[in-house]
Amino acid sequence: MKFDIIKEDPQSHARAGVISTDHGDIPTPIFMPVGTAGSVKAVHQHELRNDIDAKIILGNTYHLYLRPGLDILRAAGGLHRFNGWERPLLTDSGGFQVFSLAENRKITDEGCTFRSHIDGSRHLFTPERVMDIERIIGADIIMAFDECAPGESDHRYAKHSMQLTHRWLDRCIDRFNSTQPLYGYHQSLFPIVQGCKYPDLRRQSAEYIASKNAEGNAIGGLAVGEPTETMYEMIEIVNAILPLDRPRYLMGVGTPANILEAIERGVDMFDCVMPTRNGRNGLLFTPHGTINIKNKKWESCFDPIDPESNAHCDHVYTLAYLHHLIRAQEILGLQICSIHNLTFYLWLVRTARQHIIDGDYTQWKSRILPELSIRL
């Protein structure tokens, strides 16, 4: 994998770059649609490529391990061939999902034992096992196995969790370096910075992760209940330490405003379920604010949803039609809302990138941020 920085914003830490992988180039900053079980909910691969123009999507190790299972994925030749996505893929380690099963898992230094949310069967994820699973899934970028401490964790627990994550990382690196990709293309391993909301722990973790000289690095354990300003503070602390010449991935974040603020602080990659989850509930993002399409005010509004961020799409639907579909509980409504929101998120990072290149990112961000929070 290669990362080239094309331009840096003169007034902030924002930068525009390109990540090159064997499945294609990824312009940064980038938003990655979440395809948990090998599918971005309610969105076809054709639409991901042509309407949304997604450059990379995610798969989830925990869910893919349980269904369809490793035998199927390996027989198919990996997730790219299984789901027909020829562009880059990233897989998380499954750590967040495993640790969210608070009543059905046990963490030890060896790894994490958990019970499947599907059938209650018992499984063990170790750092070595997760590396093997991610090799079989075959994503271009794979994440190290970590523990995501709850946002309300006290300092003692957060420190213990961070140290466990570091020990697991060393084992992930050893296993990764002692194995080879299964399908003839390169895979990159990203470590994850942890440390909860504590500046001293975030510094320690960032220094440890930076010392591993990985091809890219991730920031985990944020947007899990801490105040927004605390999240921004942690990003600043971490990015002051992580290498400048490697991509930085902020995991699971977030709102359009979160993304723009994190870009300003030097983050390159983002993912979040918010655009698709909110879309399925009738909430639409636009450059001029958010729309609750269920509201009666849209019943006879025949304006297009958002001609600005949907300018390159083949089909433009009216607000009245989408209001009707959502009220009637038509599946097409969920699909259109999901496609629209993902298109908006990709428009947002693409526009941010252009303003970084043009040298006026900070001014543009200041103009658009107040509009993004308006309820239309």
Side-chain angles (χ1 to χ4, degrees):
M1 194 189 81
K2 183 182 176 185
F3 179 54
D4 294 311
I5 298 174
I6 306 302
K7 185 71 180 289
E8 297 178 79
D9 179 59
Q11 297 177 302
S12 73
H13 296 287
R15 68 257 194 94
V18 178
I19 299 170
S20 301
T21 76
D22 288 347
H23 281 98
D25 291 345
I26 307 162
T28 61
I30 193 67
F31 180 82
M32 304 177 285
V34 178
T36 301
S39 167
V40 178
K41 282 184 170 42
V43 183
H44 193 282
Q45 276 82 330
H46 171 83
E47 291 145 351
L48 284 168
R49 284 189 294 265
N50 298 305
D51 291 337
I52 298 164
D53 195 22
K55 302 300 185 183
I56 176 174
I57 63 173
L58 269 67
N60 179 267
T61 294
Y62 166 82
H63 288 280
L64 291 167
Y65 163 79
L66 292 176
R67 283 190 305 208
L70 301 183
D71 291 344
I72 296 295
L73 287 168
R74 185 154 193 173
L79 185 57
H80 283 96
R81 291 188 176 180
F82 186 63
N83 71 354
W85 180 254
E86 71 280 4
R87 295 181 181 181
L89 279 166
L90 181 149
T91 44
D92 62 17
S93 68
F96 181 82
Q97 285 69 33
V98 167
F99 301 123
S100 67
L101 302 171
E103 297 179 359
N104 295 298
R105 50 91 169 150
K106 180 180 180 182
I107 303 169
T108 66
D109 209 68
E110 180 187 11
C112 184
T113 303
F114 63 94
R115 291 194 178 277
S116 164
H117 72 285
I118 298 169
D119 60 9
S121 56
R122 193 168 179 268
H123 304 267
L124 172 65
F125 271 11
T126 65
E128 294 80 8
R129 180 61 170 151
V130 168
M131 290 298 94
D132 293 346
I133 293 168
E134 293 193 84
R135 286 293 200 195
I136 291 170
I137 296 171
D140 301 87
I141 298 171
I142 68 177
M143 307 308 298
F145 192 48
D146 66 324
E147 182 186 2
C148 181
E152 69 276 8
S153 300
D154 61 27
H155 189 277
R156 181 175 175 275
Y157 184 89
K159 182 177 181 179
H160 176 269
S161 174
M162 177 198 73
Q163 292 171 337
L164 180 64
T165 289
H166 293 172
R167 292 195 297 273
W168 283 356
L169 171 61
D170 289 341
R171 291 165 58 189
C172 284
I173 292 172
D174 288 346
R175 186 62 155 225
F176 181 80
N177 288 339
S178 66
T179 58
Q180 294 295 321
L182 298 176
Y183 310 116
Y185 53 83
H186 181 72
Q187 291 181 285
S188 300
L189 173 63
F190 281 24
I192 303 172
V193 176
Q194 290 290 351
C196 203
K197 59 188 176 183
Y198 301 103
D200 62 320
L201 299 183
R202 285 288 174 178
R203 289 190 187 92
Q204 290 178 42
S205 190
E207 288 167 357
Y208 195 83
I209 268 58
S211 73
K212 300 304 173 181
N213 197 33
E215 292 184 279
N217 299 291
I219 306 170
L222 293 175
V224 290
E226 79 284 353
T228 302
E229 289 307 317
T230 300
M231 176 174 70
Y232 297 152
E233 179 190 358
M234 296 304 106
I235 294 169
E236 290 172 4
I237 288 169
V238 168
N239 280 351
I241 298 169
L242 292 179
L244 288 169
D245 61 346
R246 310 293 164 87
R248 300 158 173 168
Y249 165 29
L250 181 59
M251 304 182 73
V253 179
T255 69
N258 292 159
I259 289 173
L260 296 186
E261 293 286 3
I263 287 172
E264 188 174 53
R265 290 162 171 81
V267 174
D268 307 293
M269 304 168 69
F270 303 87
D271 79 286
C272 188
V273 297
M274 185 173 287
T276 46
R277 180 175 292 170
N278 285 15
R280 295 194 304 274
N281 287 285
L283 184 69
L284 303 175
F285 297 98
T286 82
H288 307 292
T290 55
I291 294 172
N292 184 344
I293 200 63
K294 297 178 182 178
N295 289 346
K296 188 174 177 61
K297 66 183 291 185
W298 308 113
E299 184 177 35
S300 57
C301 180
F302 302 105
D303 294 335
I305 301 172
D306 171 29
E308 188 172 353
S309 63
N310 286 271
H312 69 288
C313 293
D314 293 336
H315 306 288
V316 178
Y317 299 98
T318 67
L319 290 160
Y321 180 57
L322 192 49
H323 171 86
H324 157 70
L325 292 176
I326 294 297
R327 297 287 291 180
Q329 299 184 347
E330 286 287 342
I331 294 174
L332 180 59
L334 311 183
Q335 183 180 17
I336 293 172
C337 287
S338 299
I339 292 170
H340 164 80
N341 280 349
L342 288 173
T343 300
F344 167 76
Y345 267 63
L346 268 294
W347 171 87
L348 186 70
V349 293
R350 189 169 58 246
T351 305
R353 185 177 195 272
Q354 188 58 53
H355 282 285
I356 295 169
I357 292 171
D358 292 343
D360 64 348
Y361 175 78
T362 303
Q363 295 91 326
W364 170 77
K365 191 207 80 167
S366 297
R367 289 196 305 270
I368 195 172
L369 267 184
E371 292 192 56
L372 294 175
S373 62
I374 296 171
R375 292 281 180 151
L376 298 173

